[in-house]
Amino acid sequence: MLLTGASGFIGRNVASALAAAGHRLKPASRRHGIDYCRMQAEADWLPHLAGVDAVINSVGIIGESGSQRFEPLHRTAPSALFRACAQAGIRRVLQISALGADASAFSAYHLSKRAADDCLRSLDLDWFVLRPSLIYGRGGKSADLFMRLATLPLIPVIGDGQQALQPVHISDVVATVLQSLTTSTTRQTLDVVGNEAITFADWLQSMRQAQGLPRAAMFHIPLPLALALARLGRHFSPLLQPENLRMLQAGYRADVQPLTRFLGRMPLAVETRLFFSDLVPTGRP
């Protein structure tokens, strides 16, 4: 089984679960000598698909920096990989996309993800497009940023802080991947979301509580000012991008019932311990 993005937050958790389940894994990442930016054609991928019976693409960046750009990483390379799978006769292909990569997409991030999703869905494969919402758990870059933000004595939020989120724990993302590898019902696009929606302000307060801190006052920043600050901050962190703030402002929610039916259980409810854990045994897929 080929797993791209194997050294990332999602990838390393998926790799751990696959190994525990007895799968033989071929990891693909820069750490493993494969530069995704250079894998732009089917011919680049075919040598890496020998002996592979399934492919999982978990490559993703939330902000561009240096040579790490949305177009080659999110669209061109995975589309080439998917077409190479069709050429090599590999049927089971999973694409880890993002919630919001749909008809409403407006950001370069979501549009590039959706382009690869559409490519995969156009092919005669047993495909899955998994669209996780904000993922939390130990080691996630976005979650770590929000955890640090939540420790401030005065927490900055955009506008009224009522942007809708539906965070999902990394365990549920991994469980969805594992189930997608074995189910006979393929060709599905699944929104991988938590079992409840929460506002951004309340999410930060929950993270604050998880760190043993009392509730804090909110500092409300108008969106235009927040965007101006992000234009400066992006030079220090790829997460601090104006488009990321626009995506946060839009908010993203989805019906949890399709995922619940697929897993045979509800996604995990938010608990303090989950902020500091990765894979959590559930007794089910």
Side-chain angles (χ1 to χ4, degrees):
M1 185 177 306
L2 182 75
L3 172 63
T4 67
S7 60
F9 175 49
I10 298 175
R12 66 176 179 267
N13 279 282
V14 168
S16 177
L18 289 173
H23 293 281
R24 190 171 65 179
L25 189 65
K26 290 179 68 172
S29 70
R30 284 184 295 171
R31 184 176 299 174
H32 298 94
I34 297 179
D35 184 352
Y36 222 57
C37 292
R38 299 178 181 273
M39 309 293 288
Q40 303 288 293
E42 293 99 304
D44 298 323
W45 286 108
L46 287 172
H48 300 281
L49 297 178
V52 168
D53 60 357
V55 167
I56 305 168
N57 177 51
S58 70
V59 170
I61 57 171
I62 194 60
E64 295 182 323
S65 63
S67 64
Q68 303 295 290
R69 317 301 291 182
F70 292 135
E71 188 68 7
L73 293 177
H74 287 177
R75 186 185 72 84
T76 314
S79 296
L81 171 59
F82 302 152
R83 289 192 295 267
C85 288
Q87 186 174 335
I90 298 170
R91 297 292 308 173
R92 188 72 52 130
V93 181
L94 279 58
Q95 154 79 339
I96 300 180
S97 183
L99 190 65
D102 52 29
S104 68
F106 64 88
S107 69
Y109 169 78
H110 279 129
L111 289 169
S112 59
K113 281 285 190 179
R114 191 182 74 185
D117 300 349
D118 288 344
C119 174
L120 178 57
R121 286 185 289 236
S122 73
L123 299 172
D124 181 20
L125 297 171
D126 296 328
W127 53 262
F128 278 88
V129 173
L130 307 180
R131 302 192 298 208
S133 60
L134 175 66
I135 304 172
Y136 69 100
R138 183 176 61 186
K141 289 183 179 179
S142 296
D144 284 349
L145 175 65
F146 290 142
M147 287 290 271
R148 292 195 300 271
L149 189 64
T151 65
L152 298 176
L154 189 63
I155 302 177
V157 294
I158 302 172
D160 59 8
Q162 298 302 296
Q163 299 84 5
L165 302 176
Q166 205 165 345
V168 62
H169 191 260
I170 183 62
S171 284
D172 287 326
V173 178
V174 172
T176 307
V177 168
L178 295 182
Q179 181 77 346
S180 299
L181 290 171
T182 58
T183 185
S184 59
T185 308
T186 61
R187 301 192 179 191
Q188 295 191 55
T189 298
L190 280 172
D191 291 328
V192 186
V193 296
N195 63 2
E196 59 181 332
I198 188 171
T199 68
F200 181 58
D202 286 342
W203 182 240
L204 292 177
Q205 295 287 11
S206 297
M207 287 186 153
R208 187 174 175 84
Q209 182 181 9
Q211 297 175 85
L213 298 171
R215 291 182 67 87
M218 296 284 177
F219 173 53
H220 299 274
I221 306 175
L223 179 59
L225 176 57
L227 292 173
L229 293 173
R231 291 186 188 98
L232 296 175
R234 65 185 174 181
H235 300 295
F236 302 97
S237 170
L239 294 176
L240 298 175
Q241 298 284 342
E243 267 206 343
N244 291 346
L245 296 188
R246 292 191 181 96
M247 288 189 291
L248 174 62
Q249 182 69 8
Y252 294 100
R253 297 177 59 180
D255 183 2
V256 72
Q257 290 308 313
L259 178 65
T260 298
R261 289 191 294 269
F262 185 72
L263 292 179
R265 62 169 175 83
M266 284 286 287
L268 297 171
V270 176
E271 299 178 35
T272 297
R273 66 188 176 98
L274 296 181
F275 289 106
F276 310 102
S277 66
D278 36 40
L279 295 182
V280 177
T282 63
R284 296 295 299 270

